[in-house]
Amino acid sequence: MKSFINFLVVVMVAGPGCSPGNQNAADKSREAGIIRPYPENPRYWEYKGEPVLLLGGSKDDNLFQDEDIEAHLDELQAIGGNYIRNTLSARDSGNVVRFLKLADGKYDLDQWNPEYWRRFENMLVLTSERNIIVQLELWDRFDYSRESWTDSPWNPGNNINYTEEETGLAQIYPDHPGKDKQPFFHSVPGMRDYTDKLDRVRSYQEKYIIKLLSYSLNFGNVLYCMDNETSTPPEWGRYWMAFIDSIADEKGKQVYMTDMFDQFFTPQTCPSCLQVLENPDIYTFIDVSQINSRNFDESHWDTLQWILRVREQFPLRPVNNTKIYGGGNSTWGSGSNEDGVERFCRNVMGGCASARHHRPITGNGLNDKSKASIRALRRVETLVKFWEVVPRMDLLSQRETDEAYLSAEEGEKYILYFTKGGAVNLDLKPYDKSYHLNWISVNSGEWGGEAAIKGGSSREITAPDQGGWFVVIKGDL
């Protein structure tokens, strides 16, 4: 244990990507078919040697626990989805836990529950067969407080491996986990609430991660996120990134990792968020899912663009959204179904590498609206790839707030997104040539009409109706 703690000190300064041997693994990742940043444009992902835009939506966060996972993945794949979120949670009805439950009702943290790990491996196999990328979340704070903690195998009252006195863990943590009062997340030496009693807990935490990696490192379609919307200091997640990196490096594997911080909806005032943005050697991709909470309309776009401008100051990395709120439930600022679709589209238009609709009731999941938005974006991609364009709002005029958003390779190709219909002027003055327009409905995911316009001036582009629309505008050769 001490040897890894000493190794950690080096890695947390230099970053996991600087550990010995990792560059060789990175060089091999392309030919091995591993998800990695696209070398020609590292703002996006590459899988099996081809750039990919990750789009998804699913009914659950811990999809590996679902009995009908195969049918659900087929449903996602059929509409162009290639991305899921998978927490390792076991707090819903019908879920199984990772540890073995004994005859007396207590758990033994030294023995695994084979069914849990069978389900986990099955999810990895099924997604790999379908070229679906999995973003794992290793720790979900909601599993370790309130009612979930009462039933948790990690609770000292529920296992045979340690007691309250031996670890300092209480049997009840009634507060919202956002208050960060759970010592379970402070088991790393040097953290605020660390005591050496927590070393015993950390030894079991490490066994769990080693077990997980014994499956996941065999698959190239996996991204690693340490936490779900954590408010715990970054040292916790950094420890686990270094721990994972050391094991992956021993096996000659390259992995991409990050942490998800709760306050990303106001990143300018979130020190932990700034650490993610400013440390690309540690956080090898960025997850900004929480911008999709409490941010609406143009403020959502502005927050995203602020993040991306900071990202541009450092070696480029993909920016992911593994959950996009908006499912008709106003709790936690999630917003309406339409808000969810608009955030989904804005994120892609703004330059994000992934977008996934959050599960109901605070997201669209895989309902008709989310399916249509995924189909619409895939139709856009048949004409223009998003890694070929960048946001160019400066080319629009006569635009109302939140009316339309533009990404473009100026003079050649443009993608224009109308949130609720409308009309804007597009500056084509320097380009005296003809352009072809293809409309795609966000509401249905189907093709709309086609048209032609002449450049050489500022041209008005008017949406067909008051729904959501993409229009792809390409110059004639």
Side-chain angles (χ1 to χ4, degrees):
M1 179 56 58
K2 289 183 179 179
S3 62
F4 180 73
I5 295 294
N6 292 335
F7 166 80
L8 175 68
V9 172
V10 176
V11 173
M12 288 179 69
V13 173
C18 297
S19 58
N22 237 334
Q23 185 57 51
N24 289 335
D27 292 340
K28 295 177 182 177
S29 65
R30 190 171 203 178
E31 57 192 69
I34 294 172
I35 185 73
R36 69 169 205 163
Y38 177 40
E40 282 72 21
N41 186 348
R43 302 172 184 86
Y44 291 88
W45 293 106
E46 175 188 273
Y47 186 53
K48 295 186 175 179
E50 298 293 335
V52 290
L53 176 66
L54 305 184
L55 302 177
S58 53
K59 63 182 180 180
D60 284 317
D61 298 335
N62 55 344
L63 201 56
F64 80 111
Q65 295 271 15
D66 280 16
E67 293 182 359
D68 64 345
I69 180 175
E70 185 167 5
H72 199 56
L73 293 175
D74 286 342
E75 185 180 9
L76 174 64
Q77 185 184 39
I79 50 94
N82 62 350
Y83 179 52
I84 67 167
R85 174 193 188 204
N86 196 91
T87 68
L88 278 297
S89 296
R91 64 178 186 264
D92 298 329
S93 176
N95 290 178
V96 295
V97 300
R98 59 182 66 99
F99 300 111
L100 189 67
K101 193 172 188 178
L102 305 177
D104 64 0
K106 290 201 171 185
Y107 294 95
D108 183 355
L109 305 190
D110 285 317
Q111 297 190 68
W112 302 112
N113 178 357
E115 176 59 17
Y116 179 94
W117 297 105
R118 184 201 68 78
R119 294 184 183 189
F120 180 63
E121 185 177 35
N122 181 56
M123 179 274 297
L124 294 171
V125 169
L126 293 174
T127 52
S128 179
E129 290 173 346
R130 291 159 176 78
N131 293 323
I132 292 173
I133 304 304
V134 179
Q135 185 167 317
L136 293 178
E137 283 170 31
L138 309 186
W139 309 102
D140 185 344
R141 65 184 187 174
F142 292 100
D143 294 337
Y144 301 91
S145 292
R146 301 183 295 192
E147 294 83 2
S148 296
W149 179 248
T150 302
D151 300 326
S152 173
W154 298 97
N155 188 317
N158 297 335
N159 69 61
I160 65 170
N161 306 92
Y162 51 67
T163 65
E164 284 189 64
E165 184 178 359
E166 290 170 335
T167 62
L169 293 179
Q171 294 192 39
I172 299 174
Y173 288 101
D175 292 323
H176 188 283
K179 295 183 181 293
D180 192 33
K181 292 185 177 181
Q182 170 57 286
F184 183 91
F185 294 110
H186 288 254
S187 63
V188 175
M191 294 191 69
R192 183 193 68 212
D193 295 335
Y194 169 77
T195 69
D196 58 8
K197 288 184 175 183
L198 289 169
D199 289 347
R200 190 163 186 172
V201 177
R202 193 180 69 254
S203 71
Y204 285 105
Q205 293 171 336
E206 290 174 347
K207 286 181 180 180
Y208 151 58
I209 296 299
I210 291 169
K211 179 68 170 177
L212 181 148
L213 294 174
S214 73
Y215 294 96
S216 65
L217 287 178
N218 297 320
F219 296 85
N221 62 321
V222 179
L223 298 170
Y224 296 83
C225 183
M226 300 304 103
D227 292 278
N228 173 36
E229 56 184 70
T230 185
S231 55
T232 300
E235 288 77 12
W236 162 260
R238 289 189 178 193
Y239 180 88
W240 295 111
M241 285 188 281
F243 188 82
I244 291 168
D245 191 72
S246 68
I247 296 172
D249 188 54
E250 287 177 1
K251 297 181 181 296
K253 303 287 187 177
Q254 175 72 22
V255 294
Y256 293 91
M257 298 178 285
T258 196
D259 212 344
M260 183 203 303
F261 289 99
D262 188 26
Q263 298 296 311
F264 247 118
F265 53 83
T266 53
Q268 301 92 332
T269 57
C270 169
S272 296
C273 304
L274 294 175
Q275 286 205 31
V276 174
L277 295 174
E278 295 171 0
N279 289 279
D281 289 337
I282 296 174
Y283 304 92
T284 49
F285 72 99
I286 303 167
D287 189 288
V288 297
S289 291
Q290 290 303 103
I291 67 164
N292 303 297
S293 171
R294 308 186 193 185
N295 282 311
F296 294 85
D297 304 327
E298 192 132 355
S299 68
H300 172 255
W301 173 269
D302 290 343
T303 302
L304 173 63
Q305 292 305 304
W306 186 90
I307 291 169
L308 296 181
R309 284 194 297 272
V310 176
R311 187 268 309 267
E312 295 292 311
Q313 300 172 28
F314 302 93
L316 295 174
R317 294 161 286 165
V319 171
N320 281 14
N321 295 267
T322 196
K323 55 179 179 177
I324 295 173
Y325 297 98
N329 185 310
S330 60
T331 308
W332 311 300
S334 61
S336 67
N337 297 100
E338 290 71 22
D339 287 318
V341 170
E342 290 174 13
R343 287 172 176 143
F344 188 85
C345 294
R346 280 192 217 97
N347 285 333
V348 177
M349 289 292 298
C352 290
S354 85
R356 173 192 163 270
H357 291 282
H358 193 31
R359 51 103 179 117
I361 56 176
T362 50
N364 281 306
L366 202 56
N367 64 15
D368 289 343
K369 290 181 181 294
S370 66
K371 288 180 180 179
S373 65
I374 294 170
R375 284 197 303 267
L377 282 163
R378 292 304 186 205
R379 294 197 190 283
V380 170
E381 281 196 297
T382 65
L383 301 172
V384 175
K385 303 297 187 184
F386 281 92
W387 47 86
E388 299 172 347
V389 295
V390 295
R392 289 299 307 269
M393 300 295 286
D394 59 300
L395 299 178
L396 297 180
S397 60
Q398 301 300 309
R399 172 187 173 273
E400 301 295 328
T401 299
D402 193 45
E403 182 179 15
Y405 298 89
L406 179 71
S407 284
E409 179 190 339
E410 187 179 0
E412 300 300 325
K413 56 191 77 168
Y414 305 79
I415 305 171
L416 185 57
Y417 166 54
F418 289 94
T419 57
K420 303 179 186 70
V424 295
N425 287 354
L426 173 62
D427 183 5
L428 297 173
K429 290 192 289 293
Y431 309 103
D432 187 16
K433 61 181 179 179
S434 297
Y435 289 86
H436 191 81
L437 282 66
N438 289 91
W439 290 92
I440 302 109
S441 170
V442 176
N443 294 357
S444 69
E446 300 301 328
W447 293 104
E450 298 183 35
I453 59 173
K454 183 72 173 171
S457 65
S458 182
R459 301 298 305 229
E460 183 177 89
I461 311 295
T462 303
D465 60 33
Q466 295 305 303
W469 287 93
F470 289 109
V471 59
V472 178
I473 304 168
K474 295 183 71 175
D476 291 345
L477 297 178

